[in-house]
Amino acid sequence: MRIPSTQALRALDSFARHGSVWRAADELHLTRSAVSHQLRLLERDLGFDLLQRIGKGVALTPRGQRYAADVRKALTVLGDAGTQNSGAGVGGSFGISCPPGFASMFLCTHIGEFQQMYPDVALSVLTPRRLDDVSNPEADAFIAFGVGNWPNRAVELLCEVHFTPLCSPTLLNKIGGFSKPADVLRANLLHLSDTEDWARWLALSKVENPDTEGGIFFSDMNLVFSAAIAGQGIALGDELTGRRALSEGRLVKPFEASVPSPRAYFLVFEHAKAGHPVLNAFSDWLRAKLSESSLAKY
């Protein structure tokens, strides 16, 4: 059995996580042409296409996505094996600050796996007042939702977000279904803090002169989802944090149209903490879980 080069596998893993050659090149400290060359060599060794051209860019093929997910798992196992047998181990206290919605609907549904992998780590999950707040002195790292502008901090993109309307089956039946995007205005619009996201989705869906000022406003995404599940209105939710409610049938997606958010989830930490064993272990594990979730279907 011939195993592809580790460098080529790392190039694929980085491209899969970042979605672009230049970001992968930056992470691996290589040129873009070198990353592209590694990906072409890997395709040749495997005998199937990993990449497909979309417009002016490239993306992973469905088969490439599945292979990249397996590669990520294998690289994580190799990294863990090296750590566990180095005599140093990974342990100690570590605080991670995370927005409440992401924490309760994604992180907390998987965090036990991280504890099993790293039993000597005492991990604390903290929640900030603002989604983009990275000021808590008790946190060693932050999962923050923002535009990526945190001066004097290391900032790594975790995942981009697309919003789509989500509502309970009960509300959908009560209203009689949605035949066109403008029909969402027949229900209460559930807002997270402001009307910006709903205004962008309605504009993308070509709804003329929508009134987005009505509805109900919440300060926490947990509350938005709770209200939507209870049939109190229709929410704009991202499919990552809404995945479990969708898979369990507590929420449904009446439209396929989604709008990209100008904000995304980032891992943010002080430059001095770069290379921290627990930070590296948590970052690798989190990226692997996010990669698995992006490939999963409802």
Side-chain angles (χ1 to χ4, degrees):
M1 179 176 60
R2 187 171 184 275
I3 300 175
S5 75
T6 303
Q7 188 172 13
L9 295 176
R10 290 184 64 219
L12 174 63
D13 173 58
S14 185
F15 177 84
R17 286 186 285 105
H18 294 295
S20 71
V21 170
W22 70 267
R23 284 178 176 165
D26 184 61
E27 179 181 76
L28 299 173
H29 304 291
L30 297 172
T31 64
R32 298 181 193 180
S33 60
V35 171
S36 297
H37 180 66
Q38 289 295 331
L39 293 174
R40 287 195 299 270
L41 288 178
L42 185 57
E43 283 185 323
R44 187 188 67 185
D45 287 348
L46 295 173
F48 59 83
D49 292 336
L50 295 170
L51 305 175
Q52 58 186 341
R53 183 162 293 279
I54 299 178
K56 295 182 179 180
V58 292
L60 290 174
T61 63
R63 191 173 184 181
Q65 291 177 344
R66 294 192 296 270
Y67 184 75
D70 288 339
V71 167
R72 184 62 185 162
K73 294 176 186 177
L75 291 176
T76 299
V77 170
L78 289 173
D80 291 343
T83 297
Q84 293 167 6
N85 292 284
S86 66
V90 176
S93 299
F94 195 82
I96 181 76
S97 174
C98 180
F102 186 98
S104 65
M105 291 180 277
F106 180 80
L107 183 61
C108 290
T109 63
H110 300 289
I111 198 64
E113 178 185 304
F114 178 82
Q115 195 65 58
Q116 286 183 330
M117 294 171 62
Y118 301 97
D120 295 328
V121 174
L123 187 67
S124 299
V125 178
L126 315 169
T127 55
R129 292 184 178 180
R130 299 190 321 274
L131 302 181
D132 61 351
D133 183 17
V134 296
S135 63
N136 190 342
E138 297 182 7
D140 296 290
F142 303 82
I143 298 172
F145 187 63
V147 296
N149 182 26
W150 290 278
N152 304 317
R153 301 281 183 119
V155 179
E156 299 178 4
L157 176 67
L158 288 175
C159 63
E160 296 175 337
V161 170
H162 288 71
F163 287 122
T164 190
L166 303 175
C167 68
S168 72
T170 301
L171 178 68
L172 192 65
N173 293 332
K174 180 180 178 181
I175 290 179
F178 297 112
S179 61
K180 58 184 183 299
D183 288 345
V184 299
L185 300 175
R186 292 158 51 199
N188 284 327
L189 299 185
L190 306 179
H191 304 281
L192 177 62
S193 301
D194 56 45
T195 64
E196 176 186 344
D197 293 325
W198 265 118
R200 294 179 67 249
W201 187 87
L202 290 165
L204 177 72
S205 302
K206 297 181 171 54
V207 176
E208 297 183 0
N209 302 316
D211 178 13
T212 59
E213 297 303 320
I216 308 171
F217 293 79
F218 300 90
S219 62
D220 187 322
M221 198 63 196
N222 284 313
L223 303 179
V224 175
F225 273 100
S226 293
I229 290 170
Q232 303 305 299
I234 183 165
L236 260 192
D238 69 273
E239 297 179 9
L240 174 67
T241 55
R243 185 174 302 277
R244 170 161 291 193
L246 285 162
S247 65
E248 293 174 350
R250 292 180 293 148
L251 288 176
V252 294
K253 186 170 65 168
F255 299 102
E256 288 299 321
S258 63
V259 59
S261 172
R263 295 167 290 179
Y265 288 107
F266 294 88
L267 183 65
V268 184
F269 52 91
E270 295 178 357
H271 290 288
K273 294 189 181 294
H276 191 293
V278 180
L279 175 59
N280 290 342
F282 180 80
S283 174
D284 287 345
W285 170 81
L286 180 60
R287 291 182 186 281
K289 297 309 297 182
L290 288 170
S291 178
E292 290 175 16
S293 294
S294 70
L295 299 178
K297 302 298 181 183
Y298 302 134

